[in-house]
């Protein structure tokens, strides 16, 4: 699974992009976020407030119950501020 | 048409090209977004716009298609820049061409409202106190919400963005 981080998610996790292999029981966005929180202090801090987070799966906005799988591209970012 | 680019754009040339040769166009509405030199009463030296290549283009195309579905538009153009921009520089151009002004005005405003809440861009402001990511505004969510339920992209008004307002 390819993970992308943008804006302060990138700063706090310290990575822009990484390939990960979550445990097989991780099947949804919510489960993925819960697993990511356990990966170290940077992740725990970056993912402390899930309401401040937006997730896209394969470049489409996703909700916590959406499925995720090994071939997916999952992006984590704060609410957008363009324009 | 949508474009995501680092370079500046020529406003006059872009607007002229939008209606060139299309005499069914009776009016063109334009919004140009600029970098301000102040944010929350603090001076801004510059800002850097980050985006999500691929998703950005897909979202802008979808937003443009939504506007074309809702209003009788003859042409539309969205140009959004990324990278480091200084105060006074152009960030975004949104232009809509229609037979009559009302559709052009409304569609232009709609495009800006939806773009601000759905297109994956993030602003990092350079202040004297350091670099700071801009927080999403609840007022932007409200502006986008008045156009009706989006068929995609829930950037809902959460408690954190309300608090940031």
């Amino acid at each position: 699974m390819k993970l992308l981080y943008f804006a302060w998610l990138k700063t706090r996790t310290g990575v822009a992009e990484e390939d990960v292999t979550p445990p097989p029981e991780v099947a949804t966005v919510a489960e993925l976020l819960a697993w990511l929180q356990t990966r170290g202090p940077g992740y725990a801090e970056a993912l402390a407030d899930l309401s401040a987070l937006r997730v896209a799966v394969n470049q489409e906005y996703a909700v916590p119950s959406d499925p995720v799988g090994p071939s997916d591209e999952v992006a984590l970012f704060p609410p957008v501020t363009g324009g | 048409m949508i474009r995501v680019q680092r370079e500046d754009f020529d406003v006059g040339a872009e607007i002229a090209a939008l209606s060139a040769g299309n005499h069914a166009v009776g009016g063109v509405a334009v919004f140009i977004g600029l970098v301000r030199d102040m944010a929350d009463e603090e001076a801004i030296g510059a800002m850097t716009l980050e985006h999500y290549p691929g998703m950005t283009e897909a979202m802008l195309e979808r937003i443009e298609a939504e506007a074309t579905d809702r209003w009788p538009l003859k042409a539309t153009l969205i140009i959004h820049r990324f990278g480091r921009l200084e105060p006074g520089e152009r960030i975004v151009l949104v232009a809509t061409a229609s037979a009559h002004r009302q559709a052009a005005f409304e569609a232009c405003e709609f495009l800006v409202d939806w773009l601000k809440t759905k297109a994956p861009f993030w602003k990092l402001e350079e202040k004297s106190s350091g670099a700071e990511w801009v927080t999403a505004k609840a007022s932007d969510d409200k502006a986008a919400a008045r156009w009706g339920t989006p068929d995609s992209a829930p950037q809902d008004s959460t408690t954190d963005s309300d608090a940031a307002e």
Side-chain angles (χ1 to χ4, degrees):
Chain A
M1 184 184 297
K2 184 179 175 186
L3 297 183
L4 302 174
Y5 304 87
F6 293 98
W8 54 257
L9 264 300
K10 180 170 60 182
T11 322
R12 290 184 197 173
T13 58
V15 285
E17 185 178 329
E18 61 179 341
D19 285 305
V20 297
T21 309
E25 62 268 24
V26 170
T28 65
V29 168
E31 287 160 1
L32 175 65
L33 296 178
W35 174 70
L36 285 173
Q37 284 170 333
T38 67
R39 293 184 68 224
Y43 290 91
E45 189 210 350
L47 300 171
D49 179 7
L50 296 181
S51 74
L53 212 69
R54 297 294 178 271
V55 178
V57 177
N58 299 324
Q59 306 191 353
E60 296 275 355
Y61 282 100
V63 294
S65 58
D66 283 345
V68 290
S71 61
D72 286 333
E73 175 179 297
V74 181
L76 280 64
F77 48 79
V80 302
T81 57
Chain B
M1 188 198 295
I2 67 113
R3 291 202 326 252
V4 180
Q5 62 189 47
R6 190 178 288 277
E7 319 81 63
D8 193 15
F9 44 83
D10 181 332
V11 174
E14 297 293 351
I15 296 169
L18 197 62
S19 61
N22 188 347
H23 298 165
V25 173
V28 178
V30 179
F31 173 82
I32 299 163
L34 307 171
V35 180
R36 271 171 298 149
D37 62 358
M38 295 289 284
D40 303 326
E41 295 172 16
E42 217 181 322
I44 301 293
M47 68 163 59
T48 300
L49 271 142
E50 182 175 307
H51 76 117
Y52 181 178
M55 183 173 174
T56 306
E57 289 83 353
M59 285 306 304
L60 291 178
E61 278 168 6
R62 199 179 302 173
I63 293 165
E64 184 182 53
E66 180 74 24
T68 304
D69 279 349
R70 293 188 185 206
W71 287 276
L73 301 174
K74 303 294 183 192
T76 56
L77 175 64
I78 303 173
I79 305 175
H80 204 303
R81 295 177 67 193
F82 61 89
R84 189 175 181 276
L85 301 173
E86 294 185 349
E89 286 200 74
R90 286 178 276 270
I91 304 171
V92 63
L93 169 79
V94 176
T96 49
S98 185
H100 303 287
R101 72 182 182 283
Q102 191 184 357
F105 276 134
E106 287 180 7
C108 187
E109 203 170 3
F110 165 83
L111 284 170
V112 176
D113 284 347
W114 268 33
L115 177 159
K116 284 184 85 78
T117 53
K118 299 182 200 316
F121 287 96
W122 302 274
K123 288 174 180 150
L124 179 67
E125 291 176 337
E126 296 174 22
K127 300 177 172 177
S128 55
S129 53
E132 209 173 290
W133 290 101
V134 173
T135 310
K137 292 186 176 65
S139 57
D140 286 338
D141 287 334
K142 289 195 183 82
R146 74 199 158 107
W147 299 102
T149 310
D151 63 345
S152 61
Q155 174 125 317
D156 56 335
S157 181
T158 55
T159 45
D160 63 292
S161 57
D162 280 324
E165 177 52 12

